[in-house]
């Protein structure tokens, strides 16, 4: 074979190999699963990004807020959120206007028996509605839970003495002491559950009795073993919880960097996400082998997927319950402020609150950006 023919043949082979290689690459790329985040857009619904306390009566998007944490859609379809460093509870109505529901804007502890808007609150952290349509919220530095009767507008304390401690199990919740309670939720029977994080316990207040008891936790900051019993098992930083329609509890451990499902029928813990080590790895893969970074918010959507405010990774992540995989939905792991639009390009700053609404939207308390944001599916 002449050198000229040999060279031509070599070029032909190289060209075919290059095409084959490119085809393989294209095939691999086209066969990759589409990013979950690609189905969503993010937008700001409250806050300008500048911390402050202004705007009541006007558009929520033009109001100033200061460190939003827990949030929830109320029975009236309004968005209620804890504006913690303004020491108030605020509401965004259907028409987009913002108002204050509870708190005078000054830190303290006073006002029980009087109008909620004249009371002194101290950093309300999380908020829920009971079956009567009244607001319950935690004041973490005051170590208690309070209620606002929306019909009368009056405020009262329903759990805690205002002093830090661990006492009162078996007695009235109003006489018990808690230590930095953070998250609250109602179980399937209407009992109030409290993440008593300083005591490393979940405590329960009976709906009818008003008595308090320890549901889980020993007070020790130790790992929670897979399959461990509900009672007398240690919890390392129980920070946030939600309840599934079947009655199971979902618990995020902030210090433990993990998520557990608690089978309430069998009274057992089941590890679902997080290795226990702090990190931001495993997106797109099995949730159980991923690393989390201080999750402080958890919410279940209508499909049973578990949404997390992964606070210290400045992101929103979701456990897809069909696959068991952990998906990154918003943020990129770096602290920042937006922009709205593509959720993976929208940087967050230590988000604490998260709420998956019935209409499919997911609300985020983008805490240190002083904004409330909403994830919604593209049309």
């Amino acid at each position: 074979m002449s050198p000229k023919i040999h060279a031509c043949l070599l070029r032909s082979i190289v060209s075919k190999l290059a095409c084959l290689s490119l085809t393989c690459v294209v095939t691999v790329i086209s066969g990759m699963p589409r990013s979950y985040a690609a189905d969503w857009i993010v937008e700001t619904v409250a806050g300008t990004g500048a911390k402050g306390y202004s705007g009541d009566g006007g558009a929520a998007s033009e109001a100033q807020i200061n460190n939003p944490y827990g949030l929830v859609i109320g029975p009236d379809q309004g968005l209620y959120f804890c504006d913690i460093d303004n020491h108030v509870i605020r509401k965004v109505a259907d028409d987009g206007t913002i108002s204050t529901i509870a708190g005078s804007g000054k830190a303290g502890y006073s006002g029980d028996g009087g109008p909620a808007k004249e009371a002194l609150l101290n950093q309300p952290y999380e908020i829920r509605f009971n079956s009567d349509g009244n607001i319950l919220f935690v004041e973490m530095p005051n170590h208690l839970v309070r209620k606002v009767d929306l019909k009368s507008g009056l405020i009262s304390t329903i759990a805690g003495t205002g002093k830090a401690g661990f006492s009162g199990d078996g007695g009235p919740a109003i006489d018990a002491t808690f230590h930095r309670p953070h998250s609250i939720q109602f179980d399937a029977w209407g009992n109030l559950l409290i993440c008593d994080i300083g005591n490393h316990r979940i405590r329960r207040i009976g709906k009818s009795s008003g008595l308090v008891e320890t549901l889980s936790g020993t007070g020790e900051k130790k790992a929670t073993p897979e399959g461990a019993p509900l009672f007398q098992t240690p919890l390392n930083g129980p920070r946030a919880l939600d309840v599934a329609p079947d009655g199971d509890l979902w618990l995020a451990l902030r210090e433990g960097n993990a998520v557990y499902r608690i089978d309430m029928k069998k009274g057992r813990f089941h590890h679902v996400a997080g290795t226990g080590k702090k990190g931001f790895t495993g997106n797109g893969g099995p949730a159980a082998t991923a690393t989390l970074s201080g999750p402080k918010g958890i919410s279940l959507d209508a499909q049973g997927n578990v949404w997390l405010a992964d606070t210290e990774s400045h992101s929103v992540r979701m456990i897809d319950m069909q696959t068991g995989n952990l998906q990154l939905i918003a943020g990129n792991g770096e602290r920042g402020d937006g922009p709205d639009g593509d959720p993976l390009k929208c940087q967050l700053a230590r988000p604490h609150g998260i709420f998956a609404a019935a209409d499919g939207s997911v609300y985020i308390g983008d805490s240190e950006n002083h904004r409330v944001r909403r994830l919604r599916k593209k049309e």
Side-chain angles (χ1 to χ4, degrees):
M1 183 182 295
S2 69
K4 186 175 181 180
I5 295 175
H6 184 274
C8 289
L9 182 60
L10 183 60
R11 282 196 297 270
S12 177
I13 292 172
V14 170
S15 177
K16 288 180 179 180
L17 286 174
C19 290
L20 179 60
S21 177
L22 180 60
T23 300
C24 290
V25 170
V26 171
T27 300
V28 170
I29 292 175
S30 64
M32 291 176 65
R34 188 167 177 265
S35 168
Y36 278 61
D39 296 329
W40 298 83
I41 62 171
V42 63
E43 55 195 4
T44 296
V45 297
T48 64
K51 66 180 180 180
Y53 182 34
S54 69
D56 277 2
S61 59
E62 298 175 6
Q64 288 182 314
I65 62 181
N66 193 353
N67 217 353
Y69 270 44
L71 28 67
V72 67
I73 297 294
D76 61 356
Q77 300 308 303
L79 172 65
Y80 294 76
F81 68 93
C82 296
D83 195 355
I84 75 161
D85 284 337
N86 284 326
H87 312 287
V88 296
I89 303 293
R90 300 177 86 176
K91 171 188 172 181
V92 181
D94 275 345
D95 63 2
T97 58
I98 191 170
S99 59
T100 296
I101 301 300
S104 66
K106 296 181 180 180
Y109 177 42
S110 70
D112 278 0
K117 288 193 285 187
E118 297 177 9
L120 298 184
L121 316 183
N122 193 355
Q123 293 191 324
Y125 267 48
E126 188 159 274
I127 180 172
R128 302 287 183 183
F129 281 82
N130 67 10
S131 58
D132 295 326
N134 298 318
I135 294 175
L136 274 73
F137 59 91
V138 172
E139 291 180 47
M140 184 173 174
N142 280 340
H143 315 288
L144 48 78
V145 180
R146 298 173 91 175
K147 180 180 78 172
V148 176
D149 185 313
L150 285 186
K151 290 182 180 178
S152 67
L154 303 181
I155 192 170
S156 60
T157 298
I158 64 166
T161 64
K163 296 182 179 180
F166 175 62
S167 68
D169 275 6
I174 192 69
D175 297 328
T177 56
F178 300 82
H179 189 193
R180 296 187 297 116
H182 183 276
S183 181
I184 54 174
Q185 182 56 290
F186 292 94
D187 67 15
W189 301 273
N191 304 306
L192 180 65
L193 306 177
I194 304 172
C195 281
D196 193 5
I197 61 174
N199 287 318
H200 301 283
R201 290 174 166 90
I202 299 172
R203 300 174 81 182
R204 177 170 61 188
I205 300 174
K207 179 181 179 180
S208 301
S209 69
L211 304 181
V212 66
E213 62 182 340
T214 293
L215 179 66
S216 190
T218 62
E220 301 170 287
K221 294 180 63 175
K222 294 182 179 180
T224 303
E226 164 62 27
L230 176 62
F231 304 107
Q232 297 302 313
T233 290
L235 302 173
N236 187 5
R239 187 60 63 114
L241 50 80
D242 203 1
V243 178
D246 63 2
D248 284 354
L249 304 186
W250 286 80
L251 176 67
L253 300 179
R254 191 264 185 231
E255 286 81 1
N257 294 300
V259 173
Y260 284 83
R261 177 179 65 86
I262 305 175
D263 185 329
M264 292 299 289
K265 295 182 180 68
K266 297 181 178 179
R268 295 283 172 180
F269 281 89
H270 296 288
H271 174 248
V272 178
T275 64
K277 294 182 179 180
K278 183 178 179 179
F280 184 57
T281 64
N283 292 315
T289 57
T291 56
L292 306 177
S293 192
K296 292 187 180 181
I298 188 169
S299 185
L300 273 64
D301 67 19
Q303 288 73 45
N305 301 312
V306 182
W307 292 78
L308 303 173
D310 199 32
T311 305
E312 307 306 334
S313 72
H314 314 288
S315 68
V316 170
R317 303 167 85 179
M318 184 265 283
I319 305 170
D320 181 345
M321 293 309 296
Q322 288 189 338
T323 64
N325 291 340
L326 182 69
Q327 303 294 340
L328 175 63
I329 305 297
N332 62 7
E334 300 293 330
R335 182 188 181 114
D337 183 8
D340 286 355
D342 181 346
L344 295 183
K345 294 180 180 178
C346 180
Q347 291 182 310
L348 309 175
R350 302 192 72 240
H352 282 73
I354 193 158
F355 182 76
D359 68 357
S361 300
V362 178
Y363 291 86
I364 307 163
D366 191 3
S367 304
E368 295 183 5
N369 280 327
H370 314 294
R371 301 179 190 270
V372 173
R373 301 189 196 260
R374 174 174 58 204
L375 283 162
R376 62 177 177 83
K377 284 286 187 75
K378 291 180 179 178
E379 297 177 357

